Amino acid sequence: MPRRRRVTVQGVVQGVGFRPYLYGLATELALAGHVTNTPEGVVAEVEGTPSAVDRFCDRIAAQAPPLARVESVHHQDLPATGGGAFTILASRADGPVRTLVSPDMATCADCLDELADPADRRHRHPFVNCTHCGPRFTIVTGVPYDRAHTTMAGFAMCPDCAREYADPTDRRFHAQPVACPACGPSLRLLVPRQPLDGRPKGVAGTDPVTEARTLLARGAILAVKGLGGYHLACDASDPGAVALLRHRKARGDKPFAVMARSADDIEHLVRLSPEERSLLEAGTRPVVLLRRRRDPSYPAGAPRPAEAVAPGSPDLGVMLPYTPLHHLLLGLPGDAEGPRLLVMTSGNVAGEPIVTDDAEALERLAPLADAWLTHDRPIQVPCDDSVVRVSDGEPLMIRRARGYAPLPVPLPLSVRPALAVGGDLKNAFCLGEGRRAWLSAHIGDMDDLGTQRAFERATAQLESITGVRPGMLVADRHPGYRSARWADRNAAGRTVVRVQHHHAHVAAAMAEHGLDGTRPVIGVAFDGTGHGDDGAVWGGEILLADYDGFTRFGHLTYVPLPGGDAAVQRPYRMALAHLRAAGIGWSDDLACVAACPPDERCVLERQLERHLNCVPTSSMGRLFDAVSSLAGVCHRAGYEAQAAVELEAAALNAPVEDVTAYAFALRASEPDGGGVVRADPAPVLAATVGDLRAGTEPALVAARFHRAVTGLVHRICVRARERHGLDTVALTGGVFANTLLSSACATALREDGFTVLRHHLVPPGDGGLALGQLMVAARATARTATTG
């Protein structure tokens, strides 16, 4: 007796070769029926012997295509109808959206073989792709994911591509970006010539990539159109080109990322573990932060980046090519010699969003680029490169974007449809519904109007492809955050819930690790800035928290933050504020005092005496800044966390056997030792000053300070366990992007029996904030609904 069954597969199952996979599976098992894309996923009906139908269902998830991510498979038995063939039907667009869109993925090995094969019709085609690789998220205009709902809709397929696209046995079956030199997007190199109309001209009679490689070798800066926006590229081994790019982009000393042809090309520059190599070579192709070798040797002919690529940083950010164009730029076998390491940085001026529009690129990047390597496939969704590092053998997400967005994060609890708008720095927002949270790709800093417009477009786009219609908005409690003001302006009658900054950080770590919130955790939330419930700037917090709320168990003692942003940009101001709070005089033998101009020092002294524009802060990030300047490591910060990054770099150079820790003083707010614990850094600062006056090297001072913070975390967590019986610790906040500190804290805590939660899927900094906002607000509204 034949059996018929409808199977609905949800997850990342469109645009990844899932229908031809099911077609092949059904054909192999001699099943009749059909398969189609729908807004809720891939739906198949199969009919045949009961055993064959069962085998079909059993193999769906187990043997899925490489880019597929099966989240659920639902079965429904139907009456048999007969039929002898299995067919692929046209997609259906009716019904609510419940499917997922795949992230963009790096060019696969099969496509790379075609790219390099002179006999293949896609030889040197900059847009070669198939169902296993290429653009996805950045070209999607709607769902279901079909060519008509992508930016490839305007490119009519030639007969050869149409034949591949329609053949279920071909790896390009329904590969929506499929194209070839005869019908696909075309590449152009635009170089300013006699500017008759003020626009760059195409270079006639030359191969755009060959000419681009020549320009790069001559020191030019190229604007290169990628998957999610434009890059600015130059030869990483050319000090003049790197310095010029840094100057034009107003980059300060912030490190650049480099692109290498292979992992083998950078092994002489960085320490590369098997986990890091695997991450570099994965289809996600993030920028991987790798520890630089202290005394690298340069084999003959090996590429060597200019020192200006990453000045003062202990790491080098490296990525491998992820588009055919990147492979062509770095050279295929047999190509003429050219740059083997390229700086690849976002195509924008510092603080602005990445450029995606071609006309805008010609205008906004004109002061930055010498030429444009561009093409005519539109970019629908801006998407920066993701940044990841490996800590203790596990990934630590620093910036979540290309390769990861828009995959959802599974939630431990079901949430109502909501939009959490995140923070103002490193903004990423989050849409949630049911047991899924969709974090956006990295948006940027919300102080720029262009970033705010990009935020608005990105929320609309993610809502359209997820089908989530948020009935609630969630924002930070900071009264001046632009993201929060956006939520207020766009509420349209919906509830806006405000969540405390550091509570959201802790909740994000809990959600990522699947905690249901029935038991609180000890949340160690260390960052630079977060609005506190008492109006102070928090940032050195130990919270006892679940999703329902938090208690402030401990924090760094308050010191004045003189001048707000001025103290962030000039760490010597923070050092002087900390010295004054610790009762240590501003003597000229201290580097931070000498770094402060005499006139500014007088103004700063009066400012601190009179408490003018000196909001109190408990920020651990600002304490790192202060010690960095005190030790003579960094007095002026040209980018966020520069002083802390360079202090970590110094600590890594200290002799391990000679590192003893400074110690914070712990003081209780109540006479019996109870209440809030305040961690006073005054003894740390006094010991630091003593070491420096005794001639101790800054590297050793930096290492001792890191150990002091590690000891502080351990001691306060032990107190929290003794008082409240809690033994799970979440390490969160931007300070824990410092892997030297994060690893040391995790080791000390685990050795003492604590369970330690560290971030892997979402950033520890503000890029992961929205996930925690979503969880806290979901519980708050659930409580209100229950009590109401």
Side-chain angles (χ1 to χ4, degrees):
M1 186 74 163
R3 174 183 296 169
R4 189 175 186 89
R5 183 175 293 171
R6 176 182 292 135
V7 183
T8 302
V9 189
Q10 294 183 326
V12 180
V13 291
Q14 294 185 11
V16 294
F18 212 87
R19 286 181 296 171
Y21 157 64
L22 293 186
Y23 173 92
L25 186 57
T27 302
E28 175 190 336
L29 295 170
L31 295 171
H34 55 79
V35 63
T36 186
N37 277 342
T38 76
E40 62 179 342
V42 170
V43 177
E45 290 188 14
V46 290
E47 184 172 330
T49 65
S51 61
V53 170
D54 288 342
R55 287 201 300 275
F56 176 89
C57 295
D58 291 342
R59 291 168 62 181
I60 285 175
Q63 300 175 3
L67 298 189
R69 179 171 162 176
V70 176
E71 292 199 341
S72 65
V73 181
H74 300 287
H75 307 273
Q76 179 185 0
D77 286 328
L78 302 171
T81 62
F86 190 89
T87 58
I88 298 175
L89 303 180
S91 298
R92 294 199 337 252
D94 56 305
V97 175
R98 304 208 185 280
T99 192
L100 304 178
V101 174
S102 168
D104 295 5
M105 285 291 160
T107 312
C108 70
D110 288 334
C111 285
L112 286 179
D113 287 343
E114 294 172 343
L115 185 72
D117 182 1
D120 193 277
R121 71 188 188 90
R122 291 188 174 89
H123 178 229
R124 303 188 70 87
H125 180 51
F127 307 97
V128 58
N129 67 85
C130 68
T131 53
H132 305 316
C133 68
R136 295 291 190 278
F137 177 48
T138 54
I139 64 170
V140 169
T141 61
V143 289
Y145 178 70
D146 283 323
R147 193 176 180 98
H149 295 140
T150 73
T151 60
M152 289 296 294
F155 297 92
M157 284 181 279
C158 68
D160 288 334
C161 285
R163 185 164 49 252
E164 294 170 334
Y165 184 86
D167 183 356
T169 65
D170 195 286
R171 82 173 200 281
R172 290 193 168 90
F173 175 78
H174 279 247
Q176 308 307 340
V178 67
C180 74
C183 65
S186 58
L187 198 64
R188 290 189 301 160
L189 181 70
L190 305 177
V191 182
R193 298 299 187 193
Q194 301 293 326
L196 299 177
D197 60 357
R199 290 293 185 189
K201 311 301 179 186
V203 180
T206 62
D207 170 48
V209 174
T210 301
E211 182 70 13
R213 296 184 75 224
T214 300
L215 289 172
L216 288 169
R218 291 175 181 170
I221 296 168
L222 257 63
V224 180
K225 188 175 182 180
L227 290 180
Y230 277 80
H231 280 115
L232 292 169
C234 72
D235 183 350
S237 65
D238 184 336
V242 174
L244 181 61
L245 176 56
R246 187 173 294 282
H247 170 72
R248 288 182 181 177
K249 199 176 176 188
R251 179 84 172 187
D253 292 327
K254 188 174 183 180
F256 286 123
V258 300
M259 180 176 282
R261 285 191 293 194
S262 71
D264 294 340
D265 276 339
I266 47 93
E267 278 194 302
H268 61 290
L269 301 171
V270 295
R271 300 200 299 269
L272 190 62
S273 69
E275 294 86 1
E276 288 165 333
R277 178 183 284 269
S278 176
L279 193 55
L280 266 179
E281 295 175 344
T284 51
R285 285 292 202 274
V287 174
V288 182
L289 299 181
L290 303 169
R291 290 286 191 223
R292 297 163 75 174
R293 293 187 182 275
R294 294 183 187 176
D295 298 303
S297 58
Y298 297 102
R304 177 178 183 173
E307 187 58 35
V309 166
S313 173
D315 305 307
L316 184 65
V318 180
M319 59 180 157
L320 301 186
Y322 56 86
T323 71
L325 181 56
H326 293 148
H327 287 277
L328 292 169
L329 270 179
L330 287 164
L332 299 181
D335 283 353
E337 192 64 28
R340 295 174 60 187
L341 283 179
L342 295 176
V343 166
M344 280 284 187
T345 186
S346 299
N348 57 2
V349 176
E352 295 182 357
I354 190 170
V355 176
T356 57
D357 179 76
D358 298 330
E360 192 178 3
L362 292 174
E363 179 181 345
R364 282 177 54 192
L365 303 183
L368 309 180
D370 299 309
W372 289 254
L373 188 59
T374 185
H375 57 78
D376 53 353
R377 183 180 66 204
I379 297 171
Q380 177 70 14
V381 184
C383 201
D384 275 291
D385 295 313
S386 293
V387 181
V388 189
R389 69 183 318 149
V390 172
S391 179
D392 297 333
E394 296 182 295
L396 171 64
M397 186 72 65
I398 304 298
R399 183 170 75 191
R400 188 178 187 272
R402 180 188 49 75
Y404 298 91
L407 289 180
V409 175
L411 297 178
L413 300 168
S414 184
V415 302
R416 297 179 179 179
L419 168 63
V421 299
D424 268 16
L425 296 178
K426 297 182 173 65
N427 178 271
F429 61 86
C430 183
L431 276 173
E433 182 177 18
R435 300 292 287 266
R436 289 175 179 167
W438 287 268
L439 275 165
S440 73
H442 168 81
I443 302 293
D445 295 348
M446 295 288 283
D447 56 351
D448 180 78
L449 286 175
T451 307
Q452 293 172 39
R453 288 192 291 269
F455 174 93
E456 183 117 18
R457 290 192 298 269
T459 57
Q461 193 270 345
L462 195 56
E463 285 181 23
S464 73
I465 66 169
T466 60
V468 175
R469 300 294 178 261
M472 172 178 66
L473 303 181
V474 194
D476 194 275
R477 284 185 185 169
H478 195 298
Y481 269 12
R482 292 167 179 83
S483 53
R485 291 175 181 172
W486 183 93
D488 289 335
R489 289 195 308 271
N490 290 273
R494 295 174 289 184
T495 301
V496 178
V497 178
R498 297 295 187 108
V499 176
Q500 200 281 325
H501 191 90
H502 301 94
H503 185 200
H505 274 311
V506 178
M510 293 172 61
E512 180 181 333
H513 285 271
L515 272 63
D516 63 7
T518 54
R519 181 173 170 79
V521 303
I522 305 168
V524 182
F526 288 172
D527 61 6
T529 300
H531 183 73
D533 285 351
D534 58 359
V537 175
W538 290 7
E541 312 307 310
I542 292 84
L543 309 179
L544 308 182
D546 53 23
Y547 299 126
D548 291 324
F550 71 92
T551 300
R552 198 182 190 198
F553 180 81
H555 61 87
L556 283 181
T557 56
Y558 287 136
V559 298
L561 182 66
D565 286 345
V568 177
Q569 295 159 3
R570 286 170 268 174
Y572 60 76
R573 293 176 68 94
M574 207 64 239
L576 296 181
H578 265 287
L579 288 176
R580 188 177 188 279
I584 301 171
W586 294 356
S587 60
D588 290 335
D589 64 321
L590 298 177
C592 56
V593 178
C596 184
D599 290 348
E600 184 179 352
R601 199 185 312 172
C602 293
V603 172
L604 183 60
E605 190 167 20
R606 289 196 298 272
Q607 189 176 4
L608 291 169
E609 285 174 354
R610 301 174 184 177
H611 304 288
L612 297 174
N613 194 19
C614 283
V615 62
T617 182
S618 61
S619 168
M620 180 61 78
R622 299 290 78 82
L623 180 59
F624 266 81
D625 290 352
V627 174
S628 186
S629 180
L630 180 59
V633 173
C634 179
H635 301 302
R636 292 180 179 272
Y639 63 92
E640 186 190 7
Q642 178 178 350
V645 167
E646 294 187 2
L647 190 67
E648 181 188 8
L652 290 167
N653 289 320
V656 176
E657 65 277 2
D658 194 27
V659 178
T660 56
Y662 304 135
F664 289 77
L666 297 185
R667 313 186 193 284
S669 64
E670 297 179 3
D672 62 357
V676 178
V677 179
R678 295 191 299 271
D680 187 355
V684 172
L685 297 164
T688 299
V689 169
D691 271 355
L692 292 168
R693 286 175 172 159
T696 303
E697 290 295 319
L700 193 52
V701 169
R704 288 175 175 172
F705 174 70
H706 277 77
R707 289 210 175 178
V709 178
T710 301
L712 169 66
V713 170
H714 180 222
R715 288 165 63 200
I716 289 194
C717 288
V718 167
R719 284 203 184 190
R721 180 172 60 186
E722 290 171 350
R723 285 197 206 170
H724 300 282
L726 303 177
D727 57 6
T728 297
V729 179
L731 301 179
T732 187
V735 167
F736 284 108
N738 177 327
T739 54
L740 178 63
L741 178 68
S742 178
S743 178
C745 288
T747 299
L749 291 166
R750 285 171 178 152
E751 287 177 351
D752 200 11
F754 287 95
T755 298
V756 181
L757 311 180
R758 299 165 75 188
H759 288 277
H760 304 302
L761 299 177
V762 301
D766 285 5
L769 196 68
L771 175 63
Q773 291 176 341
L774 177 77
M775 294 302 298
V776 172
R779 286 296 288 266
T781 54
R783 288 197 312 274
T784 301
T786 301
T787 57

